[in-house]
Amino acid sequence: MKTALSLVLFLVIGLVGSQRLVSRARGKLPVTILFLTGIEFFFLGALLGPSFLDLISVEVLDDLKPVVYLALGWAGVLFGIQLSWQHIRRLSRKMFELLSLDAALSTVLFLVIFLVVLGRLFPQSGQNEVLFGAAAFAVTAAINSPTIVAVLAHRLPARGKFTSMVRIATSLSAVIPLVLFGILFTIMNPGMTPGGGLFSGLAWWVFANLFAVVMGFVFVLLTTQKATRDQRLLIIIGTVMLVGGLCYFLTLSALYTAMIMGVVVGNFSPRRVQIFEQLMSMERTIYVAFLVFVGAMVTFNASHLFLLLVFYVVSRIVVRIVVSSWAIRVSFPEFSGVGFRSGLSLSAQGGMALAVALDFAHGDGGDLVESVVSVIVVAVVVNEILGVFLTRQSLVAIGDAKPSQRRSGGGNQGEG
């Protein structure tokens, strides 16, 4: 009964919160941008969760895991459907170079760093658990938030080639990290393949991709049938729920699998625009409920987790200043004049990093899962707050915005 009531609570908060997600962000202070990310719902979830009021208990969170796969599947399909060849071919070679350099260097650097850090902080954990936890830190650290940049560009206003470049880069920053995460997730969770090890994991990854492609074409076939808008929405919800449920049963990454499915839909469905619009119509409601759930999961039961949090946030900013700024200078030499501040435009993380953390929580990460997820989730919130000011500083430094220019009114975007 408590699980059912909690699910209703999530949906009610999601429906009510999504209606006012934008309207409350119309203040003139820069910090009001954070309301567009739904950050207050995260804090609401933390308040209702086991660490405080315990209205959403640990048992309820466990019971709702299958429902969470729906939210992860929704986020994956929504992201993947935007990766159509029609849009990708418009990107310049410089953009591909930036995305590849930044994602590869950031991910590898963080993976090495956190293999050492987690091994020292959690000596009782196995090598596989430490590797999987370090991978979660590395992947989430490489993801950037498109919302903060988009809203700042509107409010400052910020106009120019640098701002346009950053908006594109942040909107696509999750592609390479999600692919890496999908590979690592299936290697560490080889599902029903016999035996174990690298070969079984790679075989399971091949199966995950084939499964996603097949489900993508099933999605295309179902949505090409003549139907009303409401009927098509039911088909979309049913298909995403089916994929999420199968991922839960097969221990596949729902986020990665749904992303590949979305890529198929985005490239082969004649109704891709209508599907995307209908996915977006439910996006804010699901996202708000998702934030409440993630907030309720957070628990800090040891002092060294605070040290890990500070280290993760600080090291990510340093990597953005050094590695991301270098990648921007190499890929776009015309922006070399801004120096190390250019990387600050990629400082916010966003909702996709939260989704990766939640997907990681459903893998076989052992005793490290709770600690890693809690640190990443809180770090994303901190980086959203810092990202507002650091991104603004970067846009001003390049000359796309003036310090004194500001106008009221928010954007119309939320994190997905």
Side-chain angles (χ1 to χ4, degrees):
M1 178 61 72
K2 191 174 182 180
T3 300
L5 291 175
S6 297
L7 179 58
V8 172
L9 177 63
F10 285 142
L11 293 176
V12 169
I13 294 175
L15 287 169
V16 174
S18 63
Q19 299 301 316
R20 299 184 61 81
L21 192 60
V22 175
S23 62
R24 286 167 298 143
R26 296 189 179 277
K28 295 182 179 181
L29 295 176
V31 76
T32 57
I33 293 173
L34 291 171
F35 289 112
L36 288 175
T37 67
I39 196 172
E40 71 274 29
F41 296 106
F42 165 82
F43 289 114
L44 177 61
L47 179 64
L48 297 175
S51 299
F52 291 95
L53 298 179
D54 199 27
L55 294 178
I56 303 173
S57 64
V58 174
E59 292 76 16
V60 170
L61 293 175
D62 288 337
D63 290 341
L64 288 176
K65 279 184 179 180
V67 179
V68 173
Y69 271 75
L70 168 62
L72 293 173
W74 202 277
V77 172
L78 189 58
F79 181 72
I81 204 172
Q82 300 173 73
L83 302 178
S84 66
W85 176 245
Q86 181 181 358
H87 294 120
I88 297 299
R89 67 182 179 182
R90 298 176 185 172
L91 299 179
S92 65
R93 180 188 60 81
K94 293 181 179 180
M95 183 58 65
F96 283 111
E97 185 177 352
L98 171 60
L99 292 171
S100 301
L101 281 176
D102 188 48
L105 292 176
S106 298
T107 303
V108 171
L109 185 59
F110 268 96
L111 184 62
V112 173
I113 290 173
F114 278 93
L115 278 173
V116 176
V117 172
L118 292 180
R120 295 287 181 86
L121 291 178
F122 302 93
Q124 74 281 4
S125 299
Q127 290 183 346
N128 286 345
E129 294 176 11
V130 171
L131 174 60
F132 199 26
F137 278 117
V139 168
T140 54
I143 296 174
N144 310 308
S145 169
T147 299
I148 298 297
V149 176
V151 176
L152 278 173
H154 174 77
R155 291 184 59 174
L156 286 173
R159 302 287 185 268
K161 293 182 178 180
F162 181 79
T163 301
S164 299
M165 179 274 294
V166 172
R167 292 186 68 167
I168 296 172
T170 52
S171 65
L172 295 172
S173 68
V175 176
I176 296 177
L178 279 180
V179 172
L180 294 175
F181 179 73
I183 296 172
L184 288 170
F185 190 98
T186 48
I187 289 177
M188 303 303 295
N189 303 274
M192 298 180 180
T193 52
L198 182 61
F199 177 78
S200 294
L202 290 175
W204 195 239
W205 178 72
V206 172
F207 169 79
N209 282 276
L210 291 174
F211 168 73
V213 170
V214 170
M215 292 305 301
F217 281 110
V218 170
F219 199 153
V220 171
L221 179 63
L222 291 175
T223 52
T224 52
Q225 304 300 315
K226 190 173 182 179
T228 65
R229 179 180 176 84
D230 290 340
Q231 289 172 334
R232 189 178 299 114
L233 181 59
L234 286 175
I235 293 172
I236 292 171
I237 293 174
T239 307
V240 174
M241 288 183 67
L242 174 62
V243 171
L246 289 173
C247 287
Y248 179 75
F249 174 73
L250 297 171
T251 64
L252 293 172
S253 167
L255 188 63
Y256 173 76
T257 305
M259 181 189 73
I260 300 300
M261 187 174 75
V263 171
V264 173
V265 175
N267 283 279
F268 293 97
S269 175
R271 300 186 186 275
R272 64 179 68 90
V273 176
Q274 295 96 317
I275 294 172
F276 178 77
E277 290 175 349
Q278 289 191 279
L279 285 168
M280 283 296 297
S281 69
M282 294 284 292
E283 184 255 356
R284 284 190 187 134
T285 299
I286 293 176
Y287 178 63
V288 169
F290 169 78
L291 284 175
V292 177
F293 184 91
V294 171
M297 288 182 62
V298 173
T299 174
F300 272 65
N301 52 14
S303 58
H304 61 267
L305 293 184
F306 288 97
L307 296 177
L308 186 60
L309 170 64
V310 173
F311 179 78
Y312 179 57
V313 171
V314 172
S315 58
R316 186 177 181 276
I317 292 176
V318 172
V319 169
R320 285 286 164 259
I321 292 174
V322 178
V323 175
S324 299
S325 296
W326 176 82
I328 291 174
R329 289 200 306 273
V330 170
S331 305
F332 294 88
E334 59 268 33
F335 301 134
S336 59
V338 75
F340 288 108
R341 286 172 293 185
S342 61
L344 294 177
S345 60
L346 308 178
S347 52
Q349 273 184 288
M352 191 57 74
L354 292 176
V356 170
L358 192 55
D359 211 2
F360 164 78
H362 295 118
D364 186 16
D367 297 333
L368 271 179
V369 167
E370 186 177 287
S371 299
V372 170
V373 171
S374 295
V375 170
I376 291 176
V377 167
V378 176
V380 170
V381 174
V382 173
N383 284 325
E384 289 291 275
I385 296 172
L386 295 176
V388 172
F389 303 98
L390 296 178
T391 302
R392 185 178 187 277
Q393 179 183 344
S394 179
L395 297 179
V396 171
I398 196 67
D400 281 10
K402 296 180 180 179
S404 58
Q405 277 189 303
R406 199 179 287 168
R407 70 184 184 187
S408 62
N412 59 357
Q413 296 187 17
E415 289 280 358

